[in-house]
Amino acid sequence: LTSSSPSPIFTVTQEAVSRINSVMSTKADRDLHLRSLKYIRGSTVHFETEMIGSRFIIKDNPQSANACGCGSSFALKNFEENKPV
């Protein structure tokens, strides 16, 4: 995915694309999840399957000040400026 700037907004691996297509089957689902894209701008989105389960992984997120050990959540840089509405 790219914006009008020459650098990509974020990178999505083929595994993530396949999973996104399967879970975002309706317009309502797509509209709901599009509001969150600004929090992963500049990241790589990957979907992996292991014996213990499967998950999306957000890698190299420049919007993240820090993250939990399992990689499921992160704290936004400049949270007050980027506070969710």
Side-chain angles (χ1 to χ4, degrees):
L1 297 176
T2 59
S3 65
S4 57
S5 65
S7 60
I9 295 172
F10 58 89
T11 303
V12 181
T13 65
Q14 185 57 50
E15 294 86 354
V17 169
S18 296
R19 183 63 178 155
I20 290 167
N21 286 335
S22 71
V23 297
M24 294 184 62
S25 58
T26 68
K27 184 178 183 324
D29 290 334
R30 288 187 298 275
D31 291 345
L32 175 66
H33 297 291
L34 287 176
R35 298 177 302 151
S36 301
L37 289 178
K38 71 179 184 177
Y39 302 119
I40 60 171
R41 181 180 291 271
S43 302
T44 296
V45 180
H46 179 66
F47 183 78
E48 70 178 21
T49 302
E50 298 177 345
M51 289 181 66
I52 61 171
S54 56
R55 65 187 178 146
F56 285 101
I57 299 172
I58 308 299
K59 298 180 178 181
D60 307 319
N61 186 351
Q63 310 304 321
S64 175
N66 56 44
C68 68
C70 69
S72 295
S73 62
F74 64 92
L76 284 174
K77 290 181 181 176
N78 306 314
F79 178 75
E80 287 303 314
E81 296 173 20
N82 297 303
K83 189 180 250 182
V85 289

mmCIF file of all heavy atoms in Angstrom, residues 30-76:
data_model
loop_
_atom_site.group_PDB
_atom_site.id
_atom_site.type_symbol
_atom_site.label_atom_id
_atom_site.label_comp_id
_atom_site.label_asym_id
_atom_site.label_seq_id
_atom_site.Cartn_x
_atom_site.Cartn_y
_atom_site.Cartn_z
ATOM 1 N N ARG A 30 -14.393 -3.906 6.757
ATOM 2 C CA ARG A 30 -13.319 -3.094 6.178
ATOM 3 C C ARG A 30 -13.335 -1.683 6.739
ATOM 4 O O ARG A 30 -12.304 -1.149 7.124
ATOM 5 C CB ARG A 30 -13.433 -3.072 4.663
ATOM 6 C CG ARG A 30 -13.065 -4.396 4.009
ATOM 7 C CD ARG A 30 -13.014 -4.297 2.501
ATOM 8 N NE ARG A 30 -14.274 -3.945 1.886
ATOM 9 C CZ ARG A 30 -15.239 -4.802 1.573
ATOM 10 N NH1 ARG A 30 -15.069 -6.081 1.819
ATOM 11 N NH2 ARG A 30 -16.350 -4.405 1.009
ATOM 12 N N ASP A 31 -14.507 -1.051 6.809
ATOM 13 C CA ASP A 31 -14.614 0.322 7.320
ATOM 14 C C ASP A 31 -14.161 0.413 8.769
ATOM 15 O O ASP A 31 -13.481 1.357 9.155
ATOM 16 C CB ASP A 31 -16.041 0.840 7.186
ATOM 17 C CG ASP A 31 -16.444 1.073 5.741
ATOM 18 O OD1 ASP A 31 -15.554 1.103 4.865
ATOM 19 O OD2 ASP A 31 -17.653 1.220 5.490
ATOM 20 N N LEU A 32 -14.508 -0.559 9.581
ATOM 21 C CA LEU A 32 -14.127 -0.562 10.988
ATOM 22 C C LEU A 32 -12.615 -0.590 11.151
ATOM 23 O O LEU A 32 -12.047 0.153 11.929
ATOM 24 C CB LEU A 32 -14.756 -1.759 11.702
ATOM 25 C CG LEU A 32 -14.353 -1.960 13.167
ATOM 26 C CD1 LEU A 32 -14.882 -0.812 14.014
ATOM 27 C CD2 LEU A 32 -14.865 -3.287 13.671
ATOM 28 N N HIS A 33 -11.943 -1.429 10.386
ATOM 29 C CA HIS A 33 -10.511 -1.616 10.554
ATOM 30 C C HIS A 33 -9.659 -0.581 9.839
ATOM 31 O O HIS A 33 -8.507 -0.375 10.230
ATOM 32 C CB HIS A 33 -10.112 -3.023 10.113
ATOM 33 C CG HIS A 33 -10.754 -4.079 10.946
ATOM 34 N ND1 HIS A 33 -10.419 -4.293 12.255
ATOM 35 C CD2 HIS A 33 -11.746 -4.962 10.671
ATOM 36 C CE1 HIS A 33 -11.160 -5.255 12.752
ATOM 37 N NE2 HIS A 33 -11.971 -5.687 11.809
ATOM 38 N N LEU A 34 -10.232 0.172 8.874
ATOM 39 C CA LEU A 34 -9.455 1.198 8.185
ATOM 40 C C LEU A 34 -9.097 2.348 9.104
ATOM 41 O O LEU A 34 -8.101 3.017 8.896
ATOM 42 C CB LEU A 34 -10.208 1.698 6.949
ATOM 43 C CG LEU A 34 -10.252 0.726 5.796
ATOM 44 C CD1 LEU A 34 -11.099 1.292 4.661
ATOM 45 C CD2 LEU A 34 -8.854 0.401 5.305
ATOM 46 N N ARG A 35 -9.967 2.659 10.292
ATOM 47 C CA ARG A 35 -9.704 3.759 11.221
ATOM 48 C C ARG A 35 -8.402 3.606 11.983
ATOM 49 O O ARG A 35 -7.862 4.547 12.526
ATOM 50 C CB ARG A 35 -10.847 3.895 12.222
ATOM 51 C CG ARG A 35 -12.167 4.228 11.589
ATOM 52 C CD ARG A 35 -13.259 4.287 12.562
ATOM 53 N NE ARG A 35 -13.407 3.057 13.265
ATOM 54 C CZ ARG A 35 -13.860 2.918 14.453
ATOM 55 N NH1 ARG A 35 -14.280 3.956 15.109
ATOM 56 N NH2 ARG A 35 -13.958 1.738 15.030
ATOM 57 N N SER A 36 -7.843 2.318 11.994
ATOM 58 C CA SER A 36 -6.647 2.042 12.789
ATOM 59 C C SER A 36 -5.352 2.147 11.992
ATOM 60 O O SER A 36 -4.269 2.025 12.559
ATOM 61 C CB SER A 36 -6.752 0.634 13.376
ATOM 62 O OG SER A 36 -7.904 0.534 14.174
ATOM 63 N N LEU A 37 -5.399 2.346 10.697
ATOM 64 C CA LEU A 37 -4.205 2.311 9.857
ATOM 65 C C LEU A 37 -3.147 3.333 10.249
ATOM 66 O O LEU A 37 -1.955 3.067 10.119
ATOM 67 C CB LEU A 37 -4.578 2.490 8.387
ATOM 68 C CG LEU A 37 -5.300 1.312 7.750
ATOM 69 C CD1 LEU A 37 -5.646 1.635 6.304
ATOM 70 C CD2 LEU A 37 -4.461 0.051 7.824
ATOM 71 N N LYS A 38 -3.549 4.504 10.755
ATOM 72 C CA LYS A 38 -2.547 5.515 11.084
ATOM 73 C C LYS A 38 -1.604 5.058 12.193
ATOM 74 O O LYS A 38 -0.482 5.533 12.292
ATOM 75 C CB LYS A 38 -3.203 6.837 11.458
ATOM 76 C CG LYS A 38 -3.908 6.854 12.776
ATOM 77 C CD LYS A 38 -4.497 8.237 13.045
ATOM 78 C CE LYS A 38 -5.131 8.309 14.414
ATOM 79 N NZ LYS A 38 -5.626 9.655 14.674
ATOM 80 N N TYR A 39 -2.021 4.102 13.004
ATOM 81 C CA TYR A 39 -1.188 3.625 14.101
ATOM 82 C C TYR A 39 -0.137 2.620 13.667
ATOM 83 O O TYR A 39 0.750 2.283 14.443
ATOM 84 C CB TYR A 39 -2.054 3.024 15.210
ATOM 85 C CG TYR A 39 -3.054 4.016 15.734
ATOM 86 C CD1 TYR A 39 -4.411 3.764 15.633
ATOM 87 C CD2 TYR A 39 -2.645 5.211 16.294
ATOM 88 C CE1 TYR A 39 -5.340 4.682 16.092
ATOM 89 C CE2 TYR A 39 -3.563 6.134 16.757
ATOM 90 C CZ TYR A 39 -4.905 5.864 16.652
ATOM 91 O OH TYR A 39 -5.821 6.772 17.100
ATOM 92 N N ILE A 40 -0.219 2.154 12.430
ATOM 93 C CA ILE A 40 0.793 1.221 11.924
ATOM 94 C C ILE A 40 1.497 1.752 10.683
ATOM 95 O O ILE A 40 2.235 1.027 10.020
ATOM 96 C CB ILE A 40 0.200 -0.184 11.666
ATOM 97 C CG1 ILE A 40 -0.924 -0.144 10.635
ATOM 98 C CG2 ILE A 40 -0.255 -0.823 12.968
ATOM 99 C CD1 ILE A 40 -1.385 -1.521 10.180
ATOM 100 N N ARG A 41 1.310 3.037 10.384
ATOM 101 C CA ARG A 41 1.966 3.646 9.220
ATOM 102 C C ARG A 41 3.475 3.429 9.309
ATOM 103 O O ARG A 41 4.088 3.685 10.322
ATOM 104 C CB ARG A 41 1.662 5.133 9.146
ATOM 105 C CG ARG A 41 2.292 5.836 7.956
ATOM 106 C CD ARG A 41 1.951 7.307 7.924
ATOM 107 N NE ARG A 41 0.541 7.502 7.616
ATOM 108 C CZ ARG A 41 0.055 7.615 6.374
ATOM 109 N NH1 ARG A 41 0.865 7.544 5.352
ATOM 110 N NH2 ARG A 41 -1.219 7.790 6.179
ATOM 111 N N GLY A 42 4.057 2.921 8.235
ATOM 112 C CA GLY A 42 5.494 2.673 8.185
ATOM 113 C C GLY A 42 5.908 1.290 8.656
ATOM 114 O O GLY A 42 7.081 0.947 8.605
ATOM 115 N N SER A 43 4.948 0.475 9.119
ATOM 116 C CA SER A 43 5.236 -0.852 9.670
ATOM 117 C C SER A 43 5.206 -1.937 8.604
ATOM 118 O O SER A 43 4.762 -1.727 7.489
ATOM 119 C CB SER A 43 4.177 -1.220 10.717
ATOM 120 O OG SER A 43 4.131 -0.273 11.739
ATOM 121 N N THR A 44 5.636 -3.128 9.006
ATOM 122 C CA THR A 44 5.453 -4.339 8.219
ATOM 123 C C THR A 44 4.431 -5.200 8.950
ATOM 124 O O THR A 44 4.569 -5.431 10.153
ATOM 125 C CB THR A 44 6.774 -5.114 8.070
ATOM 126 O OG1 THR A 44 7.695 -4.301 7.336
ATOM 127 C CG2 THR A 44 6.568 -6.443 7.358
ATOM 128 N N VAL A 45 3.394 -5.642 8.232
ATOM 129 C CA VAL A 45 2.356 -6.493 8.802
ATOM 130 C C VAL A 45 2.578 -7.911 8.273
ATOM 131 O O VAL A 45 2.651 -8.111 7.073
ATOM 132 C CB VAL A 45 0.946 -6.005 8.407
ATOM 133 C CG1 VAL A 45 -0.122 -6.902 9.004
ATOM 134 C CG2 VAL A 45 0.742 -4.553 8.838
ATOM 135 N N HIS A 46 2.660 -8.869 9.192
ATOM 136 C CA HIS A 46 2.902 -10.257 8.817
ATOM 137 C C HIS A 46 1.892 -11.137 9.543
ATOM 138 O O HIS A 46 1.438 -10.795 10.633
ATOM 139 C CB HIS A 46 4.331 -10.663 9.199
ATOM 140 C CG HIS A 46 4.661 -12.085 8.884
ATOM 141 N ND1 HIS A 46 4.731 -12.576 7.600
ATOM 142 C CD2 HIS A 46 4.922 -13.133 9.695
ATOM 143 C CE1 HIS A 46 5.040 -13.853 7.631
ATOM 144 N NE2 HIS A 46 5.151 -14.223 8.897
ATOM 145 N N PHE A 47 1.497 -12.248 8.946
ATOM 146 C CA PHE A 47 0.615 -13.231 9.582
ATOM 147 C C PHE A 47 1.369 -14.543 9.641
ATOM 148 O O PHE A 47 1.905 -14.997 8.634
ATOM 149 C CB PHE A 47 -0.681 -13.406 8.793
ATOM 150 C CG PHE A 47 -1.646 -14.342 9.445
ATOM 151 C CD1 PHE A 47 -2.419 -13.928 10.507
ATOM 152 C CD2 PHE A 47 -1.773 -15.648 9.004
ATOM 153 C CE1 PHE A 47 -3.310 -14.792 11.121
ATOM 154 C CE2 PHE A 47 -2.658 -16.525 9.605
ATOM 155 C CZ PHE A 47 -3.428 -16.091 10.665
ATOM 156 N N GLU A 48 1.469 -15.123 10.845
ATOM 157 C CA GLU A 48 2.175 -16.387 10.968
ATOM 158 C C GLU A 48 1.314 -17.424 11.666
ATOM 159 O O GLU A 48 0.470 -17.096 12.496
ATOM 160 C CB GLU A 48 3.503 -16.216 11.708
ATOM 161 C CG GLU A 48 3.392 -15.923 13.170
ATOM 162 C CD GLU A 48 4.759 -15.819 13.851
ATOM 163 O OE1 GLU A 48 5.768 -15.588 13.170
ATOM 164 O OE2 GLU A 48 4.789 -15.967 15.080
ATOM 165 N N THR A 49 1.534 -18.678 11.296
ATOM 166 C CA THR A 49 0.849 -19.808 11.905
ATOM 167 C C THR A 49 1.896 -20.717 12.519
ATOM 168 O O THR A 49 2.857 -21.100 11.854
ATOM 169 C CB THR A 49 0.028 -20.573 10.850
ATOM 170 O OG1 THR A 49 -0.907 -19.667 10.254
ATOM 171 C CG2 THR A 49 -0.726 -21.733 11.481
ATOM 172 N N GLU A 50 1.694 -21.029 13.793
ATOM 173 C CA GLU A 50 2.579 -21.938 14.515
ATOM 174 C C GLU A 50 1.729 -23.032 15.141
ATOM 175 O O GLU A 50 0.498 -22.971 15.101
ATOM 176 C CB GLU A 50 3.347 -21.185 15.601
ATOM 177 C CG GLU A 50 4.260 -20.091 15.060
ATOM 178 C CD GLU A 50 4.959 -19.325 16.167
ATOM 179 O OE1 GLU A 50 4.546 -19.440 17.346
ATOM 180 O OE2 GLU A 50 5.915 -18.612 15.856
ATOM 181 N N MET A 51 2.356 -23.991 15.760
ATOM 182 C CA MET A 51 1.608 -25.067 16.403
ATOM 183 C C MET A 51 0.684 -24.544 17.510
ATOM 184 O O MET A 51 -0.390 -25.089 17.722
ATOM 185 C CB MET A 51 2.572 -26.112 16.986
ATOM 186 C CG MET A 51 3.274 -26.932 15.914
ATOM 187 S SD MET A 51 4.366 -28.177 16.604
ATOM 188 C CE MET A 51 3.180 -29.242 17.402
ATOM 189 N N ILE A 52 1.082 -23.477 18.192
ATOM 190 C CA ILE A 52 0.277 -22.968 19.301
ATOM 191 C C ILE A 52 -0.793 -21.966 18.867
ATOM 192 O O ILE A 52 -1.595 -21.536 19.670
ATOM 193 C CB ILE A 52 1.166 -22.335 20.393
ATOM 194 C CG1 ILE A 52 1.959 -21.154 19.822
ATOM 195 C CG2 ILE A 52 2.063 -23.367 21.019
ATOM 196 C CD1 ILE A 52 2.695 -20.356 20.877
ATOM 197 N N GLY A 53 -0.802 -21.600 17.608
ATOM 198 C CA GLY A 53 -1.823 -20.675 17.113
ATOM 199 C C GLY A 53 -1.311 -19.842 15.955
ATOM 200 O O GLY A 53 -0.220 -20.061 15.436
ATOM 201 N N SER A 54 -2.121 -18.875 15.559
ATOM 202 C CA SER A 54 -1.751 -17.981 14.467
ATOM 203 C C SER A 54 -2.043 -16.556 14.890
ATOM 204 O O SER A 54 -2.894 -16.309 15.750
ATOM 205 C CB SER A 54 -2.509 -18.344 13.197
ATOM 206 O OG SER A 54 -3.893 -18.326 13.437
ATOM 207 N N ARG A 55 -1.330 -15.605 14.259
ATOM 208 C CA ARG A 55 -1.489 -14.205 14.650
ATOM 209 C C ARG A 55 -0.897 -13.271 13.617
ATOM 210 O O ARG A 55 -0.060 -13.657 12.810
ATOM 211 C CB ARG A 55 -0.820 -13.964 15.989
ATOM 212 C CG ARG A 55 0.695 -14.162 15.933
ATOM 213 C CD ARG A 55 1.320 -14.087 17.295
ATOM 214 N NE ARG A 55 2.756 -14.333 17.198
ATOM 215 C CZ ARG A 55 3.651 -13.751 17.963
ATOM 216 N NH1 ARG A 55 3.271 -12.904 18.890
ATOM 217 N NH2 ARG A 55 4.926 -14.022 17.833
ATOM 218 N N PHE A 56 -1.374 -12.028 13.665
ATOM 219 C CA PHE A 56 -0.753 -10.952 12.910
ATOM 220 C C PHE A 56 0.373 -10.402 13.769
ATOM 221 O O PHE A 56 0.248 -10.289 14.992
ATOM 222 C CB PHE A 56 -1.750 -9.820 12.628
ATOM 223 C CG PHE A 56 -2.728 -10.153 11.555
ATOM 224 C CD1 PHE A 56 -4.009 -10.552 11.876
ATOM 225 C CD2 PHE A 56 -2.380 -10.046 10.223
ATOM 226 C CE1 PHE A 56 -4.923 -10.855 10.887
ATOM 227 C CE2 PHE A 56 -3.284 -10.351 9.224
ATOM 228 C CZ PHE A 56 -4.560 -10.754 9.558
ATOM 229 N N ILE A 57 1.459 -10.032 13.134
ATOM 230 C CA ILE A 57 2.583 -9.417 13.820
ATOM 231 C C ILE A 57 2.867 -8.087 13.134
ATOM 232 O O ILE A 57 2.964 -8.024 11.910
ATOM 233 C CB ILE A 57 3.840 -10.312 13.747
ATOM 234 C CG1 ILE A 57 3.580 -11.650 14.418
ATOM 235 C CG2 ILE A 57 5.036 -9.611 14.378
ATOM 236 C CD1 ILE A 57 4.696 -12.640 14.211
ATOM 237 N N ILE A 58 2.955 -7.037 13.926
ATOM 238 C CA ILE A 58 3.335 -5.719 13.415
ATOM 239 C C ILE A 58 4.821 -5.567 13.714
ATOM 240 O O ILE A 58 5.233 -5.544 14.864
ATOM 241 C CB ILE A 58 2.535 -4.586 14.097
ATOM 242 C CG1 ILE A 58 1.037 -4.854 14.040
ATOM 243 C CG2 ILE A 58 2.907 -3.236 13.494
ATOM 244 C CD1 ILE A 58 0.455 -4.959 12.654
ATOM 245 N N LYS A 59 5.621 -5.464 12.651
ATOM 246 C CA LYS A 59 7.075 -5.372 12.806
ATOM 247 C C LYS A 59 7.556 -3.972 12.455
ATOM 248 O O LYS A 59 6.978 -3.310 11.595
ATOM 249 C CB LYS A 59 7.778 -6.365 11.875
ATOM 250 C CG LYS A 59 7.458 -7.821 12.143
ATOM 251 C CD LYS A 59 8.210 -8.684 11.152
ATOM 252 C CE LYS A 59 7.981 -10.149 11.403
ATOM 253 N NZ LYS A 59 8.726 -10.985 10.458
ATOM 254 N N ASP A 60 8.614 -3.556 13.101
ATOM 255 C CA ASP A 60 9.304 -2.310 12.757
ATOM 256 C C ASP A 60 8.344 -1.120 12.687
ATOM 257 O O ASP A 60 8.356 -0.358 11.729
ATOM 258 C CB ASP A 60 10.054 -2.459 11.428
ATOM 259 C CG ASP A 60 10.976 -3.659 11.420
ATOM 260 O OD1 ASP A 60 11.644 -3.893 12.442
ATOM 261 O OD2 ASP A 60 11.027 -4.365 10.397
ATOM 262 N N ASN A 61 7.509 -0.954 13.722
ATOM 263 C CA ASN A 61 6.518 0.125 13.730
ATOM 264 C C ASN A 61 7.159 1.424 14.208
ATOM 265 O O ASN A 61 7.489 1.568 15.376
ATOM 266 C CB ASN A 61 5.347 -0.246 14.651
ATOM 267 C CG ASN A 61 4.232 0.765 14.596
ATOM 268 O OD1 ASN A 61 4.367 1.832 14.019
ATOM 269 N ND2 ASN A 61 3.114 0.429 15.203
ATOM 270 N N PRO A 62 7.315 2.406 13.313
ATOM 271 C CA PRO A 62 7.916 3.675 13.724
ATOM 272 C C PRO A 62 6.988 4.510 14.623
ATOM 273 O O PRO A 62 7.435 5.463 15.240
ATOM 274 C CB PRO A 62 8.192 4.386 12.392
ATOM 275 C CG PRO A 62 7.211 3.799 11.451
ATOM 276 C CD PRO A 62 6.994 2.373 11.898
ATOM 277 N N GLN A 63 5.705 4.140 14.720
ATOM 278 C CA GLN A 63 4.753 4.845 15.579
ATOM 279 C C GLN A 63 4.831 4.354 17.027
ATOM 280 O O GLN A 63 4.220 4.929 17.917
ATOM 281 C CB GLN A 63 3.317 4.644 15.085
ATOM 282 C CG GLN A 63 3.086 4.898 13.624
ATOM 283 C CD GLN A 63 3.504 6.287 13.181
ATOM 284 O OE1 GLN A 63 3.300 7.258 13.884
ATOM 285 N NE2 GLN A 63 4.100 6.372 12.006
ATOM 286 N N SER A 64 5.557 3.268 17.266
ATOM 287 C CA SER A 64 5.599 2.624 18.571
ATOM 288 C C SER A 64 6.741 3.145 19.431
ATOM 289 O O SER A 64 7.892 3.158 19.011
ATOM 290 C CB SER A 64 5.762 1.109 18.376
ATOM 291 O OG SER A 64 5.921 0.474 19.611
ATOM 292 N N ALA A 65 6.396 3.549 20.674
ATOM 293 C CA ALA A 65 7.419 3.955 21.631
ATOM 294 C C ALA A 65 8.012 2.729 22.311
ATOM 295 O O ALA A 65 9.189 2.671 22.606
ATOM 296 C CB ALA A 65 6.825 4.894 22.676
ATOM 297 N N ASN A 66 7.172 1.721 22.589
ATOM 298 C CA ASN A 66 7.603 0.444 23.148
ATOM 299 C C ASN A 66 6.487 -0.563 22.942
ATOM 300 O O ASN A 66 5.381 -0.200 22.562
ATOM 301 C CB ASN A 66 7.996 0.564 24.620
ATOM 302 C CG ASN A 66 6.895 1.147 25.463
ATOM 303 O OD1 ASN A 66 5.728 0.789 25.335
ATOM 304 N ND2 ASN A 66 7.245 2.063 26.350
ATOM 305 N N ALA A 67 6.794 -1.843 23.174
ATOM 306 C CA ALA A 67 5.816 -2.898 22.931
ATOM 307 C C ALA A 67 5.927 -3.961 24.021
ATOM 308 O O ALA A 67 6.932 -4.045 24.724
ATOM 309 C CB ALA A 67 6.049 -3.529 21.558
ATOM 310 N N CYS A 68 4.875 -4.771 24.125
ATOM 311 C CA CYS A 68 4.902 -5.871 25.084
ATOM 312 C C CYS A 68 5.808 -6.985 24.552
ATOM 313 O O CYS A 68 6.154 -6.998 23.377
ATOM 314 C CB CYS A 68 3.489 -6.391 25.337
ATOM 315 S SG CYS A 68 2.752 -7.216 23.924
ATOM 316 N N GLY A 69 6.150 -7.921 25.403
ATOM 317 C CA GLY A 69 7.047 -9.003 25.021
ATOM 318 C C GLY A 69 6.510 -9.917 23.945
ATOM 319 O O GLY A 69 7.258 -10.451 23.138
ATOM 320 N N CYS A 70 5.182 -10.112 23.909
ATOM 321 C CA CYS A 70 4.621 -11.028 22.915
ATOM 322 C C CYS A 70 4.347 -10.337 21.586
ATOM 323 O O CYS A 70 4.011 -10.983 20.610
ATOM 324 C CB CYS A 70 3.343 -11.673 23.445
ATOM 325 S SG CYS A 70 1.951 -10.535 23.608
ATOM 326 N N GLY A 71 4.465 -9.012 21.531
ATOM 327 C CA GLY A 71 4.265 -8.288 20.285
ATOM 328 C C GLY A 71 2.814 -8.009 19.934
ATOM 329 O O GLY A 71 2.510 -7.588 18.829
ATOM 330 N N SER A 72 1.890 -8.215 20.891
ATOM 331 C CA SER A 72 0.463 -8.011 20.608
ATOM 332 C C SER A 72 0.000 -6.577 20.814
ATOM 333 O O SER A 72 -1.035 -6.184 20.311
ATOM 334 C CB SER A 72 -0.396 -8.922 21.491
ATOM 335 O OG SER A 72 -0.155 -10.261 21.155
ATOM 336 N N SER A 73 0.733 -5.803 21.586
ATOM 337 C CA SER A 73 0.320 -4.421 21.827
ATOM 338 C C SER A 73 1.543 -3.515 21.855
ATOM 339 O O SER A 73 2.672 -3.973 21.991
ATOM 340 C CB SER A 73 -0.450 -4.317 23.147
ATOM 341 O OG SER A 73 0.373 -4.699 24.218
ATOM 342 N N PHE A 74 1.299 -2.209 21.721
ATOM 343 C CA PHE A 74 2.386 -1.244 21.755
ATOM 344 C C PHE A 74 1.871 0.088 22.254
ATOM 345 O O PHE A 74 0.667 0.339 22.269
ATOM 346 C CB PHE A 74 3.032 -1.089 20.371
ATOM 347 C CG PHE A 74 2.118 -0.526 19.317
ATOM 348 C CD1 PHE A 74 2.067 0.828 19.086
ATOM 349 C CD2 PHE A 74 1.321 -1.358 18.555
ATOM 350 C CE1 PHE A 74 1.220 1.353 18.114
ATOM 351 C CE2 PHE A 74 0.484 -0.861 17.573
ATOM 352 C CZ PHE A 74 0.432 0.512 17.360
ATOM 353 N N ALA A 75 2.790 0.933 22.689
ATOM 354 C CA ALA A 75 2.459 2.281 23.131
ATOM 355 C C ALA A 75 2.828 3.250 22.015
ATOM 356 O O ALA A 75 3.908 3.146 21.421
ATOM 357 C CB ALA A 75 3.224 2.624 24.405
ATOM 358 N N LEU A 76 1.937 4.184 21.729
ATOM 359 C CA LEU A 76 2.189 5.162 20.676
ATOM 360 C C LEU A 76 3.210 6.192 21.115
ATOM 361 O O LEU A 76 3.197 6.633 22.265
ATOM 362 C CB LEU A 76 0.904 5.917 20.324
ATOM 363 C CG LEU A 76 -0.127 5.196 19.495
ATOM 364 C CD1 LEU A 76 -1.378 6.057 19.372
ATOM 365 C CD2 LEU A 76 0.415 4.871 18.121
#
